[in-house]
Amino acid sequence: MTHPLSDLAPSEYGEPLPPGVSPKVLRDELAAAAEWVSQYLSELTGEPVSRPMPATQRDRLREAPLGRDGVDLGRVLDFVRDEIAPFPTGNGHPAFFAWVNSPPAPAGVIAELLACAVNATCGMGDNALMDLERGTVRMLAGLAALPDTTSGVLTSGGSMANLLALATARTWFLTRRGSGDGPAYDRDHARLTLYYSTQAHMSVAKAASCIGLPAHRLRPVPADAHDRLDPAALRAAVTADLDAGLLPFCTVTTLGTTATGAVDPLEPVTDLCRRTGMWHHADGAWGGLGAAVPALAPLYRGVGAVDSLTVDPHKTLSVPVGCGALLVPQPEHLHTAFAHRASYLTADEGDALPWLSHATIELTRPGTRALALWATLNHLGRDGVTGLIEHYLTLADRLRRRIAAHPRLELLPSGPWPVACFRITHPAPEDPDELHARIAQRVQARGRAYLATVAVRERTVLRACLCNYRTTTDDLDLLIGEVLHAADADEPPRPR
């Protein structure tokens, strides 16, 4: 019996079956897309940082139905140009200072397109991109001053890397205690406690929730006057929990806090972890590569002794979103936590290396991360990586000096990572926190610059982060001017 769908197959007419197209059509559309990408990136500086999205546009994107008939391939470029590109986050613009969101590096843009064409999964099987991922992870480990034994996996970002790290730490801790399964697992898991600074990224607490730790067994440790985790307070918290019969299993330090760019002390935390049998995970999503910069390297003494490290190349190195990484000096701990077998997935690699899916929760994994990271790293070179970070540090120093010298602005302590936190010195009589939130909103709405607010010691402050390789000192002056313009809107009219 002939299948009824056989009448619909067009292959007998020599035409490609959708979604395929002829080589000429594909070549023409790729050329048009490449031309648009080049023009779009080159003209960003002359465009507003961001635009408010009309309600009709939101509805059109959220609710548009799928038509019965397909459209020409060229419609993809038209759609992006008309419906998507006019409403970006803004992080491609040199006057974007809100979050640690970098613009895409040109090498990464090209590499992602090429990797999409190859379309290999970096989780299973035998393909070059999976070995390339292993190589790029080792490059990151070298920049971070981790041991030569270090391996790991690329992730969608720091949140996923932190989740993998805590899951690995839990498995490692319980396995060492002989309670990796059964009633002993239930008994010990119910007593696990996690420690991190009050300045830690919110993804740490979220990851703890994902692996089954309730909020009452999370220990946000006070920070010192420089926003760094206080080792004495950590030691006191761990001691109290041990005395109460709980099981401290992991401490997370932060290398480059989101609010002020602080770097937690590494060596005293590692020493405490070794003496109490804990895992030491360092969240360096922003500042994980600080050891590669001479000016920052003293703050990273002891980084090679951590048990795991998160790094986000899509932050510091401008690899296109999303490319994070979890680096583990003893990678067998990853395999213990995540290796699972199935009859339909039988590893048969010539060099007997485990599939990367055995080191993470993902099976199907995009090769775009590996190639985009490789292309960006090789385009920069080791000196280029150092120079890029130093460029951001220099810009931040110049911005802080401008703020400190201005009579209407108050610079708050921050750093060493490139961020400036500041306030208006003479706010209106109303709530100053609300005022600063409103100033940030006004700056965003004007579209000439973009910054956000953050809470520092329970005060709302303006925060400018430097992570765009296109940013110049002119953009710093523009930002200050926009902040003062927004602040003037709250000033009463001056008498003539």
Side-chain angles (χ1 to χ4, degrees):
M1 176 179 176
T2 303
H3 196 284
L5 292 181
S6 63
D7 294 337
L8 302 179
S11 58
E12 59 185 292
Y13 303 108
E15 298 176 1
L17 183 70
V21 295
S22 70
K24 181 182 186 307
V25 170
L26 178 61
R27 182 173 59 251
D28 291 346
E29 294 302 333
L30 283 173
E35 179 63 30
W36 179 84
V37 167
S38 176
Q39 182 177 358
Y40 172 78
L41 292 176
S42 66
E43 295 178 351
L44 270 178
T45 303
E47 297 294 325
V49 181
S50 64
R51 296 182 178 90
M53 188 179 297
T56 54
Q57 169 72 7
R58 295 183 187 277
D59 293 341
R60 191 158 59 245
L61 294 176
R62 294 171 180 174
E63 302 173 8
L66 177 64
R68 183 178 182 86
D69 297 325
V71 298
D72 292 339
L73 194 59
R75 177 60 186 136
V76 175
L77 175 55
D78 295 339
F79 178 78
V80 171
R81 182 184 58 233
D82 300 337
E83 307 287 342
I84 303 299
F87 309 103
T89 301
N91 54 302
H93 198 284
F96 182 90
F97 301 93
W99 307 295
V100 193
N101 282 356
S102 304
V109 173
I110 296 170
E112 287 222 341
L113 170 63
L114 300 175
C116 284
V118 175
N119 201 36
T121 174
C122 281
M124 58 186 181
D126 185 12
N127 63 76
L129 282 175
M130 191 151 57
D131 283 310
L132 183 66
E133 178 167 339
R134 295 183 177 108
T136 55
V137 163
R138 289 180 62 83
M139 291 179 189
L140 284 179
L143 291 168
L146 296 184
D148 292 340
T149 58
T150 302
S151 186
V153 288
L154 300 181
T155 66
S156 59
S159 295
M160 180 58 71
N162 286 339
L163 173 58
L164 296 180
L166 294 194
T168 302
R170 176 189 59 182
T171 300
W172 168 83
F173 181 86
L174 294 177
T175 300
R176 290 177 73 226
R177 286 181 58 85
S179 52
D181 198 2
Y185 176 93
D186 295 333
R187 180 192 67 238
D188 285 356
H189 195 283
R191 296 188 291 154
L192 296 178
T193 53
L194 173 70
Y195 306 83
Y196 51 88
S197 165
T198 52
Q199 300 299 311
H201 193 267
M202 63 89 179
S203 63
V204 175
K206 182 186 289 189
S209 176
C210 289
I211 66 169
L213 268 64
H216 72 273
R217 282 192 276 114
L218 307 184
R219 303 289 186 264
V221 178
D224 63 16
H226 302 284
D227 296 321
R228 301 172 302 188
L229 182 146
D230 184 348
L234 172 64
R235 186 164 52 250
V238 171
T239 300
D241 285 335
L242 288 171
D243 292 343
L246 296 175
L247 296 177
F249 83 102
C250 179
T251 294
V252 179
T253 51
T254 305
L255 310 182
T257 59
T258 304
T260 64
V263 175
D264 287 344
L266 290 168
E267 291 180 317
V269 174
T270 299
D271 180 64
L272 178 63
C273 287
R274 295 294 178 266
R275 289 189 287 108
T276 56
M278 284 194 292
W279 182 281
H280 181 184
H281 172 61
D283 178 7
W286 183 15
L289 301 182
V293 182
L296 299 177
L299 299 172
Y300 288 77
R301 278 194 292 265
V303 69
V306 302
D307 297 298
S308 55
L309 173 67
T310 288
V311 176
D312 266 6
H314 66 212
K315 286 184 170 66
T316 311
L317 301 179
S318 281
V319 175
V321 173
C323 180
L326 176 64
L327 310 177
V328 183
Q330 298 183 51
E332 64 272 13
H333 297 317
L334 282 174
H335 304 145
T336 302
F338 299 111
H340 282 71
R341 302 291 179 182
S343 61
Y344 46 84
L345 295 172
T346 303
D348 185 23
E349 298 187 6
D351 55 8
L353 286 175
W355 286 350
L356 289 181
S357 60
H358 294 320
T360 179
I361 62 175
E362 294 178 298
L363 178 59
T364 301
R365 306 177 63 253
T368 51
R369 299 169 186 164
L371 192 57
L373 175 56
W374 177 89
T376 303
L377 285 173
N378 279 271
H379 186 230
L380 287 169
R382 190 179 184 96
D383 289 346
V385 169
T386 301
L388 183 62
I389 298 174
E390 289 175 338
H391 169 67
Y392 298 144
L393 296 175
T394 300
L395 283 176
D397 184 61
R398 291 175 178 173
L399 178 59
R400 294 181 191 127
R401 291 182 183 180
R402 282 164 164 77
I403 293 170
H406 201 287
R408 296 182 61 191
L409 301 178
E410 174 193 1
L411 178 67
L412 302 178
S414 60
W417 278 84
V419 63
C421 296
F422 61 104
R423 289 168 63 95
I424 302 296
T425 53
H426 301 293
E430 64 177 294
D431 185 341
D433 289 345
E434 292 182 4
L435 170 65
H436 286 89
R438 190 162 60 251
I439 288 174
Q441 292 167 359
R442 287 173 179 162
V443 172
Q444 295 172 9
R446 268 171 61 91
R448 302 187 67 212
Y450 201 108
L451 87 167
T453 60
V454 70
V456 176
R457 297 176 185 85
E458 300 183 353
R459 295 190 301 172
T460 298
V461 305
L462 301 173
R463 173 185 178 277
C465 174
L466 285 300
C467 60
N468 190 316
Y469 55 84
R470 293 175 168 174
T471 301
T472 68
T473 52
D474 290 341
D475 298 304
L476 307 183
D477 295 331
L478 171 65
L479 173 65
I480 292 176
E482 289 297 295
V483 168
L484 296 175
H485 181 276
D488 286 340
D490 274 355
E491 292 288 331
R494 293 174 180 168
R496 297 187 179 183

